[in-house]
Amino acid sequence: MTDEGQFARMLLLAVDAWRYGTRDDRQQHDLQRALAEALRVAATRSGLDPARWRRQEAGDGLFAIVTDESAEPKVIGPFIRELDEWLGRHNHDLRLRARLRLRVAVHHGVTLPAALGYAGDAPVHVCRLRDARAVRETLEVFPEVNLVLAVSEPIFDGSVRQRHTSLAAKDFTRVEVADPAKQFFATTWVYVPGVTSERVGACLGTLAVSLRFAGAAAPPPGFFEQVLRPSFEAVGVAAPDGEEPTFRVPAELAGTALTGRWLEEVRTAVTAHCPLARIAVGIALAPDPAAASAEAAELADAEPAARLLAATDRGRIVIVVSERVHEVVVARGGRLVFPESYRRSQGKTGCWIRVPGHSVPPEAAPGPDSPPAGREVPAADQSFSAMTHGERSPILGQSTFTAPVILGDVHRHGGPR
């Protein structure tokens, strides 16, 4: 450790026990002993030496400067796995409220020894990440898990994303942390052992869907009975109650299950039962349920979706997802989720658009020069290499054209269109 006032950039670990204050004196005594043993065993088994750590302890957790050489890859990987395994054995026969469950945060930055412990922005930062509302809520949302790990953006970008750790980037979920009262705003990346990042991303916020029907104030007759409810049943999830066009998505339908399988079931049912319906589907993710619903409705009503629906007199579905949904779910891809099929909106609304059946959403130019309804003509002097999706056609090459003819490497999913 450095002398007081000397500059040093250190790896920082902050740990806190779940619901410590609700326990009686004896329970707190036993929990502290178990916590100390859990950290000692996990550190030793992962090749770290906890005796070298510089600690600032509290009854329900600790702040530690990890001084081991090359500690970062060991902490973000073996240490977390060993800690989760120890906690799993310890908690096996305990009731939920008696279990030892932990919030763990990791960061690195400048740290100075001070009269009452350690000073600097970095110690504050790592403790604020550990105590962030979203990190706390993770243990409430997933009662079966033993711990949640939150790493700072520098740790994620410098170590996890660069594959210096055995925990992969795809296993983490990005979370924006905001505490206006303390003037603290940051990005953290959350990992929950045994829970997919998609499910974490969906459950840390509320997913909401909003449906808008072009040319009609209400959905087509039978839409909820023939399309919406069967689409939820097809993916094994109970449909939302009522017949409101904007609804919150059940937690079980997280991530790509919503943007992939469920949307495909909706599309199939619409084709069968409402072949002329033109529907905009807005999907949003926000910490507050009301905010998620409002944003989903705004996306479904947004001008880009309206123009694409107005450009055709045939049946069509336009999917509009928020920046957050695209980042957390779509960009990672998955079953029936094709990131390359989304196009960023050029309008004021921050969103991404997909039109099923098109490799890239068609442009619907506004104004008097727009193509007539039912006919989408690419702009002149524009080169295309087209892709739809399953059956592969011969390569015809790339060409510039003004007629609605596709020349290129054509792929189809689901047979000829």
Side-chain angles (χ1 to χ4, degrees):
M1 186 63 200
T2 60
D3 294 332
E4 185 172 349
Q6 184 176 341
F7 179 93
R9 194 178 298 277
M10 315 296 292
L11 182 67
L12 310 177
L13 175 70
V15 181
D16 195 83
W18 174 72
R19 293 190 177 181
Y20 179 84
T22 64
R23 306 170 197 247
D24 62 30
D25 293 355
R26 190 69 218 179
Q27 291 170 331
Q28 290 183 1
H29 176 274
D30 294 342
L31 184 143
Q32 286 191 35
R33 183 174 58 186
L35 174 58
E37 179 68 4
L39 295 172
R40 184 191 67 79
V41 171
T44 302
R45 289 181 177 176
S46 57
L48 298 166
D49 183 4
R52 296 177 55 195
W53 296 2
R54 306 302 177 97
R55 300 169 180 251
Q56 181 176 306
E57 299 190 15
D60 56 350
L62 87 160
F63 165 81
I65 299 172
V66 182
T67 58
D68 303 72
E69 295 291 333
S70 305
E72 207 162 304
K74 295 177 183 177
V75 172
I76 314 296
F79 173 75
I80 292 299
R81 280 194 290 270
E82 292 289 350
L83 186 58
D84 182 52
E85 184 177 339
W86 192 98
L87 292 170
R89 291 194 300 269
H90 174 79
N91 292 331
H92 180 67
D93 292 325
L94 298 178
R95 293 173 299 169
L96 176 61
R97 65 182 182 181
R99 293 175 188 170
L100 173 58
R101 307 172 71 216
L102 302 177
R103 304 192 313 277
V104 182
V106 182
H107 179 47
H108 62 63
V110 177
T111 306
L112 303 175
L116 299 178
Y118 300 94
D121 178 72
V124 172
H125 191 98
V126 72
C127 292
R128 292 274 165 80
L129 294 185
R130 177 197 62 189
D131 298 336
R133 181 179 61 84
V135 178
R136 290 178 178 274
E137 286 180 353
T138 302
L139 292 181
E140 305 296 335
V141 171
F142 302 107
E144 73 276 14
V145 306
N146 301 306
L147 66 85
V148 54
L149 169 66
V151 303
S152 66
E153 197 162 31
I155 292 283
F156 184 83
D157 288 340
S159 294
V160 179
R161 197 189 296 278
Q162 299 303 320
R163 299 189 294 176
H164 297 304
T165 65
S166 56
L167 293 182
K170 66 179 179 61
D171 297 327
F172 287 78
T173 301
R174 179 174 175 169
V175 177
E176 299 301 327
V177 175
D179 189 344
K182 297 180 179 179
Q183 292 296 298
F184 181 75
F185 303 90
T187 298
T188 187
W189 292 81
V190 173
Y191 167 71
V192 183
V195 182
T196 65
S197 60
E198 293 171 349
R199 189 173 168 217
V200 173
C203 292
L204 286 184
T206 298
L207 273 169
V209 171
S210 186
L211 307 173
R212 293 295 182 268
F213 303 87
F223 178 82
F224 288 95
E225 293 76 14
Q226 297 176 328
V227 175
L228 200 60
R229 291 196 179 95
S231 69
F232 280 100
E233 293 172 2
V235 296
V237 176
D241 295 331
E243 295 188 353
E244 294 297 322
T246 299
F247 51 87
R248 299 168 193 169
V249 178
E252 301 90 341
L253 199 59
T256 56
L258 175 71
T259 58
R261 293 173 54 213
W262 180 76
L263 281 176
E264 186 61 24
E265 291 293 339
V266 169
R267 178 189 177 190
T268 300
V270 166
T271 301
H273 300 288
C274 310
L276 297 181
R278 292 174 291 149
I279 306 171
V281 182
I283 304 177
L285 171 62
D288 178 67
S293 297
E295 185 178 8
E298 182 180 351
L299 292 171
D301 285 333
E303 183 261 352
R307 285 198 291 115
L308 281 170
L309 293 180
T312 180
D313 54 4
R314 298 165 294 170
R316 161 169 290 174
I317 296 178
V318 175
I319 300 163
V320 189
V321 303
S322 67
E323 288 279 4
R324 179 71 172 144
V325 172
H326 186 271
E327 176 188 12
V328 171
V329 181
V330 173
R332 300 183 180 186
R335 182 180 175 187
L336 297 175
V337 180
F338 311 106
E340 65 277 5
S341 296
Y342 283 80
R343 169 173 57 81
R344 185 190 292 274
S345 169
Q346 300 304 313
K348 295 181 180 179
T349 304
C351 61
W352 291 74
I353 301 173
R354 177 188 167 210
V355 179
H358 291 257
S359 62
V360 177
E363 294 281 1
D369 296 329
S370 299
R375 184 169 180 242
E376 291 153 3
V377 182
D381 300 325
Q382 186 172 1
S383 295
F384 280 76
S385 179
M387 182 181 292
T388 54
H389 294 296
E391 173 187 299
R392 183 170 181 136
S393 298
I395 297 175
L396 303 178
Q398 291 185 325
S399 177
T400 300
F401 55 87
T402 56
V405 177
I406 295 178
L407 300 178
D409 190 7
V410 179
H411 305 262
R412 295 183 182 275
H413 282 295
R417 295 281 186 250

